[in-house]
Amino acid sequence: MHRVLRRTTHQRTLSRLAATMAATHDRGAAHAPLHVDPLGHTSENDPNAHKIVSRFTPTLPANNDLEYRGLVLENGLRVLLVNNPKEKEVGSAALSVARGHMSDPPETPGMAHFCEHMLFLGNENYPEEGEYKRYLKEHGGGANAATGPNTTVYHFHVVGEYFEGALDRFRNFFIAPLFTEDATLREMNAIESEYQRDRLSDSKRAYYLLKHMSNPAHAFGKFGTGNLTSLLHIPKEKGVDTRAFLQQFYKENYSADIMSLVVRSHRGLDVMQRWVTEGFTPIPSRGLQKQIEWPGRPFLKEHLQYVARYKPIGDVCKMSVKVPMTRVDPDYNKRSTPIVTHLLGHEGKGSLCDALREHAWITELCSGETVRDNFGWFSVEFVLTKEGEAHMFEIISELFHYVRALESSMPELRRIHDEQVRCNRLRFDNAAQLPAKNTSVLARTLRECADPTHCLSYGKLHECFDEGEILAYLHDFTPENILILASCPTPEEFAELRTEPWWGIEFSKRRFTDEETARLRSPQRFTYAMPPPNEFIPSHTNVHPPPKDNRNPVITYGGDPHTQAPSVTTWWKHDGRFLTPKMHVHARLETPAIKQTVLGQVASDLFVDAVHVLITKTYYDADICGNWSFSCTPTAFALAVGGFADKTPQLFLRILKDALSVRIEEPVFAMVKEQAVRKIQSRKMLTPRSLILTSVKEAMCPELATTADFDRLTEDITYSEFLRFIVEFKESLKLEMLAYGNVEEATSTQLGEQSRAILREVRCGLKPRDVTRIRLVDLPRPAAGKPFEHHLVQYSPNPTNINSCILIHHQLGLISFRTRALVNVLEQIISPRFFTELRTKQQLGYSVSAGMHIQGNTINFRFQIQSTVQPPSELHKRVDAFLEEFGGILEGISDADFETVKQSSIQKALEPTSNLPEEFTRLKAQLWDRSGCWNSFEQLAAELEKVTRTSVIDFYRSAIWPKDWTVENKRRVIVCHGYSDNDAENELDWVAAKSVRTLPNNVTVDILPINPENPSPWSSGLSLYPATPKFFDCGFS
């Protein structure tokens, strides 16, 4: 987590633009559907070419296979067209608007977010609610949007053949939205449901507390999310028409001259240009300013030198130090802040993080910057131990001392900056090609950067180093210019808690005492040093020519694990597609010591956490030009290393050796154990949806420890038991790895040989024992005319949670290509209709979904709703009613419509990977599935060709919802009811007392209860599936 936090420093600068939209429309602005020339005439024949006022060409990376064309239309819309000339891929588009919730009218907080929701609910050319998402889903796509403080981004993707139709629907969002009165009233409930979900997020609570503590006259402090109170009740009391404000907000804030559009497909730049010039020039331009000069500052002198302690939802203590910037340049490329945030968040030897970890005051540290147009601040966040909680001000004092060390080390900062520039160029020139679906990333940067030619390199080729500016930023770090937020109120402050008005956050707030101010100026305790030269920067980026025949991975060291039992095996495949100087290695260290006891499952997690604490300081800089991770599963430890091929093999071997030989002293064990206990307690306070997902997993996997087991043993495990586990797992290891990318066969062989030597050196026992896969419960099949369901009731102990949830889990059997094909087609048909009916129309909740779920080597289908308006029993009835009605809808689908859905499923299955990491992930999954199948997607496509409309109907009637319940069927279901603290006790008693229930068609279903606290008595009487490979072709069973 620490590395992810550090790595996203630049991303955070970009992601601050994540935002939502508001919408109104001009009733006379509707336009005819978009006409597309299938022949793809050149731009010289584009009848709308005169609507282009300028063009630009982005700065391109050296390793680039895509074609780009930049345009600015006569209405001011910035456009970037992206074409993939080599491969067919999904079509994708995104549009960013430089307005967000800081532009909300004071009468209706949350209006920008609400407007974003409303744009999905129909326009003059496509008035039907849900039609847009159904079109995308039935054609292998999807859509979403996000509203932030000063930007809103909309995006979609779809199978390429149907891209034109999707783009036509998308453009009408911004030309003629309907904002019907009925939809306006209903969609407020979705905003309320989303708000209630987010109230359980500690990160969002901290952010909104920061807003509350800011200058109330500044736009930053606005509510943003919105709810029924802000959008309906308060406006109604004041005589405000919310729908009229919605329409006005759209007219005042949605303008082409503050928008940017990215369109990507494989159809060619000329064809895409015609789509855009014809379809998007009708978006009106209102002469708006891209960046707003927000008056004043969010944090004035009177808002600083405060400490706010708030009650978290989970059991965690995080401290965030906010340092307002006294100078801000909205152009990231012109700021000298990256070197500051990089070093503040550094975790190597001599860093602030290293010193505080060594003293057992923190477990994690991250730093970043937030800039919104003309204001911003630095953030330094710490995850504190219990010992660290007592030394919060001493920790901040050390932060100041570290900053002073940076101020006196300018030559070293220059050296590190120059390294960063070199690494930035290497990363940019050899970056993994953005997946086709990720146009939203480009739309954000295209809107933000002052010079559109920098849209691909923005934030990636940063070269600015102004010593005076850096010193000015560092001088901002003083006791007089900070605000402290901590999620750990002290007992004596509980009596003084206040309540934040929108989120109900209980917190205390007071100025620093004289004693605390003195602690902030306490003498320096630790010695700091700047990072040494980065040894992980590659010395060359040579690309090896691929061998003639390297279609699938082959074994270059050891024996075939499918037919033999080698102790070390290396699989190898050279990349012949992307031809970048990068490679990836993923190794599994299988051991029976993890799975065989609950203590082993607990101790393995603690071991991974301890290894990260102890070796991150050595390998932190490796993340700058690559990445590494060390983790565990119920059957194995996993080490993954990726980056430039010049350094990756030796980095992998070094981390492997250090991870297995590092000595874990008792203080480190105590620290990671403390954090593990806190995490377990935090999980108990999650939403009912999260709790029941865990409960289903535990019920279906009786070989794994339950949450109650983890809770008990994490508290009780001793240091000696932990050390004994380490000895046990080292006694019996089997290592298997995959090396893929710019790596030669000889190198992969050496990796196997040297890994085996390391395991022997650190005294690991290489015993080729086969580690059994996790086996899952095989739910019994009902007899003819005697349907039953397994019911599980989960109660949320969180008193602030008012969300309830229903999860209906249909087990379909072992995974096979046949079942997967049937489920793929069914999901594309049922999912958008389920969402439209139960979410958009009935407004049962914000989180509503239906779709396939893979668990181990089984395939399942799930229906899920999280709601604040209905208890689980009522949600269950609504799902039943939908499934009863959907059977008729499915049977009424025409052969032509069915064929369209099927063909989009086939195209989706055959969609190529976009980059080296994606291809590696696919190969890795196929290897660890143990199926010996390297062409599973081609086999799935072949099976999809065989699917007929009748076979999908029969599948639905047999496995999901029978038409005749008196005949034998294969419906096997676990139903999970997740109850909030708000649900009445008699509702819980009613559920507990039920032994049968009646369906909409008057069929009676028996209920078999499962105790989520101890599912063993239930599962012990059931058989388990064999531990087969995931794609064992067993057919629908």
Side-chain angles (χ1 to χ4, degrees):
M1 182 178 179
H2 32 274
R3 293 193 309 285
V4 172
L5 288 168
R6 224 304 299 158
R7 239 186 354 251
T8 55
T9 297
H10 296 308
Q11 296 170 1
R12 222 174 298 169
T13 306
L14 301 179
S15 67
R16 66 176 187 266
L17 296 172
T20 330
M21 263 181 138
T24 46
H25 74 286
D26 179 354
R27 284 283 182 179
H31 287 74
L34 179 62
H35 297 290
V36 179
D37 183 352
L39 300 178
H41 289 161
T42 66
S43 58
E44 296 175 357
N45 296 323
D46 181 358
N48 297 297
H50 63 282
K51 297 180 180 180
I52 301 171
V53 297
S54 64
R55 301 171 184 265
F56 61 91
T57 301
T59 301
L60 298 178
N63 185 12
N64 172 63
D65 291 328
L66 301 178
E67 298 172 344
Y68 295 90
R69 181 181 295 170
L71 313 170
V72 179
L73 305 185
E74 62 182 4
N75 59 0
L77 179 68
R78 276 188 185 178
V79 180
L80 182 66
L81 308 176
V82 187
N83 180 58
N84 188 340
K86 288 189 173 182
E87 296 176 319
K88 287 188 175 181
E89 61 181 18
V90 299
S92 176
L95 188 143
S96 173
V97 187
R99 291 295 184 269
H101 67 243
M102 288 202 302
S103 299
D104 282 349
E107 297 87 350
T108 52
M111 180 56 72
H113 183 207
F114 182 48
C115 189
E116 172 223 309
H117 277 237
M118 289 299 300
L119 285 183
F120 284 84
L121 300 183
N123 52 71
E124 291 192 3
N125 276 339
Y126 300 96
E128 182 187 349
E129 291 181 22
E131 193 276 342
Y132 172 65
K133 285 198 170 184
R134 186 170 71 245
Y135 180 90
L136 294 177
K137 187 66 179 179
E138 289 184 347
H139 300 106
N144 212 333
T147 302
N150 56 352
T151 306
T152 301
V153 181
Y154 300 80
H155 56 96
F156 76 87
H157 67 276
V158 71
V159 167
E161 183 180 342
Y162 306 97
F163 183 53
E164 300 95 321
L167 194 66
D168 189 43
R169 288 160 172 79
F170 185 64
R171 75 182 182 104
N172 276 279
F173 276 34
F174 314 106
I175 297 173
L178 289 179
F179 300 141
T180 65
E181 186 171 357
D182 181 53
T184 300
L185 290 172
R186 280 187 286 105
E187 196 62 20
M188 291 182 199
N189 292 297
I191 296 290
E192 172 72 15
S193 187
E194 184 177 357
Y195 156 76
Q196 293 294 349
R197 181 202 65 177
D198 290 349
R199 288 183 69 226
L200 303 181
S201 165
D202 275 327
S203 61
K204 290 184 181 292
R205 289 162 63 86
Y207 178 64
Y208 275 89
L209 179 58
L210 179 67
K211 283 172 165 283
H212 179 66
M213 296 187 65
S214 67
N215 179 2
H218 196 276
F220 169 70
K222 291 184 178 181
F223 178 24
T225 300
N227 60 13
L228 276 175
T229 300
S230 71
L231 292 170
L232 178 63
H233 301 319
I234 292 178
K236 189 174 182 179
E237 290 172 1
K238 296 181 178 180
V240 172
D241 183 343
T242 301
R243 181 166 175 257
F245 267 76
L246 171 66
Q247 294 169 328
Q248 188 65 27
F249 179 86
Y250 178 77
K251 288 181 179 179
E252 292 178 354
N253 292 280
Y254 277 71
S255 175
D257 50 1
I258 61 167
M259 293 178 178
S260 62
L261 172 69
V262 177
V263 178
R264 175 171 172 173
S265 81
H266 62 271
R267 295 289 298 275
L269 294 174
D270 294 330
V271 172
M272 286 188 282
Q273 178 177 309
R274 293 196 61 176
W275 295 345
V276 168
T277 55
E278 179 182 348
F280 286 84
T281 48
I283 299 176
S285 179
R286 311 184 197 279
L288 301 183
Q289 183 182 0
K290 174 191 146 187
Q291 289 178 334
I292 298 176
E293 292 293 322
W294 303 101
R297 294 278 176 178
F299 299 103
L300 304 175
K301 187 174 181 180
E302 57 266 32
H303 303 110
L304 302 173
Q305 299 186 66
Y306 275 98
V307 57
R309 299 175 183 260
Y310 62 96
K311 281 187 174 181
I313 298 295
D315 183 9
V316 63
C317 185
K318 291 185 178 180
M319 177 176 68
S320 180
V321 181
K322 307 297 182 183
V323 183
M325 297 178 183
T326 54
R327 54 186 296 175
V328 176
D329 191 320
D331 189 339
Y332 180 82
N333 283 348
K334 296 180 180 179
R335 295 201 298 271
S336 295
T337 51
I339 188 65
V340 176
T341 54
H342 169 66
L343 290 173
L344 288 175
H346 207 281
E347 299 178 32
K349 294 178 181 178
S351 67
L352 174 64
C353 179
D354 181 41
L356 297 176
R357 272 188 183 148
E358 286 285 333
H359 218 64
W361 282 357
I362 71 166
T363 59
E364 297 174 17
L365 180 154
C366 69
S367 70
E369 60 179 290
T370 300
V371 173
R372 314 283 191 210
D373 297 320
N374 65 332
F375 66 91
W377 59 85
F378 292 103
S379 296
V380 185
E381 299 183 355
F382 308 86
V383 176
L384 306 179
T385 63
K386 290 183 179 179
E387 179 68 18
E389 291 179 34
H391 295 88
M392 284 174 42
F393 286 87
E394 286 80 4
I395 290 171
I396 300 172
S397 173
E398 288 304 311
L399 168 63
F400 293 149
H401 287 305
Y402 183 69
V403 168
R404 303 291 86 83
L406 297 180
E407 290 174 347
S408 62
S409 305
M410 277 299 149
E412 286 291 278
L413 264 63
R414 182 77 212 201
R415 171 186 61 80
I416 297 167
H417 166 79
D418 291 344
E419 278 187 352
Q420 291 285 87
V421 170
R422 181 182 168 195
C423 291
N424 289 343
R425 172 54 70 177
L426 284 169
R427 285 199 304 256
F428 177 71
D429 281 341
N430 300 283
Q433 177 180 294
L434 271 178
K437 300 174 184 177
N438 286 17
T439 45
S440 59
V441 176
L442 283 177
R444 291 187 186 105
T445 55
L446 180 61
R447 185 67 267 163
E448 183 184 63
C449 57
D451 183 348
T453 65
H454 296 159
C455 62
L456 299 182
S457 60
Y458 190 71
K460 299 174 183 176
L461 292 180
H462 187 276
E463 297 184 356
C464 183
F465 186 91
D466 184 322
E467 183 173 328
E469 185 180 75
I470 292 171
L471 287 172
Y473 285 132
L474 294 175
H475 290 342
D476 288 337
F477 285 77
T478 66
E480 294 75 27
N481 192 47
I482 64 169
L483 178 64
I484 304 171
L485 276 67
S487 62
C488 43
T490 58
E492 61 269 18
E493 292 176 313
F494 283 158
E496 304 174 13
L497 290 180
R498 315 177 187 193
T499 302
E500 185 275 336
W502 289 113
W503 290 73
I505 306 163
E506 294 182 290
F507 71 102
S508 68
K509 170 188 171 183
R510 58 173 176 74
R511 282 195 172 272
F512 302 160
T513 64
D514 291 342
E515 184 265 341
E516 288 168 341
T517 302
R519 289 163 65 190
L520 288 175
R521 302 183 187 279
S522 58
Q524 183 172 335
R525 287 175 168 80
F526 311 125
T527 302
Y528 300 108
M530 296 301 103
N534 189 344
E535 61 178 310
F536 303 106
I537 299 176
S539 56
H540 68 80
T541 56
N542 300 336
V543 177
H544 304 298
K548 293 182 179 179
D549 184 18
N550 191 210
R551 178 176 172 80
N552 297 321
V554 296
I555 294 173
T556 59
Y557 183 82
D560 188 343
H562 294 102
T563 58
Q564 305 172 40
S567 55
V568 177
T569 300
T570 301
W571 294 83
W572 163 75
K573 184 180 186 301
H574 192 287
D575 163 47
R577 256 184 83 203
F578 303 104
L579 301 177
T580 72
K582 294 186 175 183
M583 65 172 289
H584 294 266
V585 183
H586 189 278
R588 284 172 54 91
L589 293 122
E590 294 189 344
T591 171
I594 300 177
K595 176 189 166 187
Q596 64 189 9
T597 66
V598 175
L599 188 142
Q601 295 172 49
V602 171
S604 60
D605 284 344
L606 297 178
F607 178 73
V608 166
D609 291 341
V611 167
H612 274 297
V613 167
L614 293 170
I615 73 172
T616 293
K617 67 177 71 177
T618 304
Y619 300 108
Y620 182 77
D621 277 341
D623 272 340
I624 295 174
C625 285
N627 56 80
W628 66 272
S629 67
F630 184 63
S631 59
C632 68
T633 71
T635 58
F637 294 103
L639 173 60
V641 180
F644 288 93
D646 177 40
K647 297 291 184 179
T648 297
Q650 286 306 310
L651 177 61
F652 169 82
L653 295 169
R654 286 176 58 183
I655 296 177
L656 176 66
K657 180 178 179 179
D658 286 357
L660 294 176
S661 62
V662 66
R663 179 167 175 77
I664 302 171
E665 301 290 352
E666 190 165 5
V668 173
F669 165 77
M671 184 169 67
V672 297
K673 175 182 172 179
E674 176 191 308
Q675 292 302 310
V677 170
R678 283 184 152 181
K679 288 177 183 177
I680 290 173
Q681 297 306 316
S682 297
R683 291 190 197 116
K684 297 178 182 178
M685 305 302 286
L686 296 174
T687 63
R689 177 180 179 273
S690 299
L691 294 175
I692 63 176
L693 288 173
T694 300
S695 294
V696 171
K697 177 182 176 182
E698 292 173 357
M700 298 299 290
C701 304
E703 297 178 337
L704 296 183
T706 65
T707 300
D709 293 332
F710 264 93
D711 192 356
R712 173 177 53 82
L713 270 174
T714 305
E715 288 268 14
D716 295 345
I717 187 172
T718 65
Y719 180 55
S720 59
E721 289 174 324
F722 175 69
L723 293 180
R724 189 160 57 247
F725 164 77
I726 295 175
V727 172
E728 289 175 357
F729 91 71
K730 287 184 178 181
E731 287 177 347
S732 183
L733 279 178
K734 184 174 90 171
L735 187 149
E736 188 175 0
M737 75 179 81
L738 170 65
Y740 168 68
N742 183 42
V743 53
E744 295 182 302
E745 181 177 2
T747 302
S748 69
T749 303
Q750 292 168 7
L751 277 171
E753 294 171 345
Q754 294 176 41
S755 295
R756 185 182 187 91
I758 287 172
L759 294 177
R760 285 176 170 169
E761 181 183 348
V762 299
R763 299 181 179 180
C764 289
L766 298 179
K767 300 178 182 178
R769 293 176 56 182
D770 185 29
V771 180
T772 306
R773 298 168 63 96
I774 299 300
R775 296 187 300 160
L776 301 166
V777 167
D778 181 359
L779 293 177
R781 292 151 179 75
K786 295 183 179 181
F788 61 83
E789 297 170 341
H790 305 274
H791 277 218
L792 183 154
V793 175
Q794 179 70 60
Y795 171 70
S796 170
N798 184 351
T800 64
N801 169 55
I802 66 169
N803 297 274
S804 296
C805 186
I806 186 75
L807 174 69
I808 304 173
H809 175 100
H810 293 257
Q811 188 180 68
L812 306 177
L814 291 173
I815 301 175
S816 72
F817 291 112
R818 176 64 176 170
T819 309
R820 182 75 180 261
L822 291 166
V823 172
N824 276 13
V825 175
L826 176 63
E827 180 181 2
Q828 287 190 209
I829 298 172
I830 196 172
S831 175
R833 290 171 171 83
F834 187 77
F835 182 90
T836 298
E837 177 59 33
L838 300 178
R839 199 289 208 169
T840 305
K841 293 182 178 179
Q842 297 188 31
Q843 283 295 334
L844 294 179
Y846 178 74
S847 298
V848 176
S849 63
M852 176 176 62
H853 174 74
I854 301 296
Q855 185 178 28
N857 59 352
T858 66
I859 186 168
N860 311 273
F861 205 91
R862 287 178 165 180
F863 300 92
Q864 174 265 318
I865 304 173
Q866 182 167 289
S867 176
T868 59
V869 296
Q870 295 291 349
S873 57
E874 180 61 28
L875 298 178
H876 200 174
K877 293 177 184 176
R878 303 287 184 95
V879 175
D880 285 345
F882 170 83
L883 294 177
E884 174 72 16
E885 182 180 2
F886 177 76
I889 294 173
L890 183 62
E891 291 170 350
I893 289 179
S894 69
D895 290 337
D897 288 343
F898 178 83
E899 188 64 23
T900 296
V901 173
K902 187 178 88 170
Q903 290 303 317
S904 68
S905 292
I906 293 170
Q907 292 182 45
K908 189 175 179 181
L910 295 176
E911 178 188 337
T913 51
S914 299
N915 51 50
L916 193 78
E918 278 191 0
E919 181 68 14
F920 178 66
T921 299
R922 178 177 289 189
L923 291 171
K924 183 175 62 175
Q926 292 173 330
L927 174 61
W928 305 139
D929 281 350
R930 292 288 181 244
S931 62
C933 175
W934 299 110
N935 64 339
S936 57
F937 292 93
E938 289 82 356
Q939 290 193 47
L940 175 60
E943 198 63 46
L944 280 163
E945 288 283 6
K946 304 174 188 177
V947 171
T948 64
R949 173 176 163 275
T950 301
S951 65
V952 173
I953 294 171
D954 291 344
F955 175 74
Y956 178 79
R957 288 305 191 185
S958 177
I960 307 296
W961 196 261
K963 191 169 188 176
D964 184 353
W965 293 75
T966 63
V967 301
E968 185 176 356
N969 60 69
K970 299 174 181 178
R971 182 177 182 267
R972 298 178 292 160
V973 180
I974 290 183
V975 180
C976 310
H977 289 210
Y979 284 87
S980 72
D981 188 67
N982 214 36
D983 289 313
E985 288 186 12
N986 59 356
E987 167 74 13
L988 285 168
D989 293 341
W990 178 84
V991 171
K994 295 285 284 185
S995 59
V996 297
R997 72 184 194 92
T998 304
L999 304 182
N1001 49 17
N1002 294 319
V1003 172
T1004 300
V1005 177
D1006 291 334
I1007 294 175
L1008 307 179
I1010 305 172
N1011 179 3
E1013 297 295 324
N1014 181 23
S1016 297
W1018 169 79
S1019 60
S1020 62
L1022 302 176
S1023 59
L1024 302 181
Y1025 276 114
T1028 59
K1030 278 194 176 180
F1031 275 92
F1032 180 77
D1033 201 5
C1034 55
F1036 173 47
S1037 59

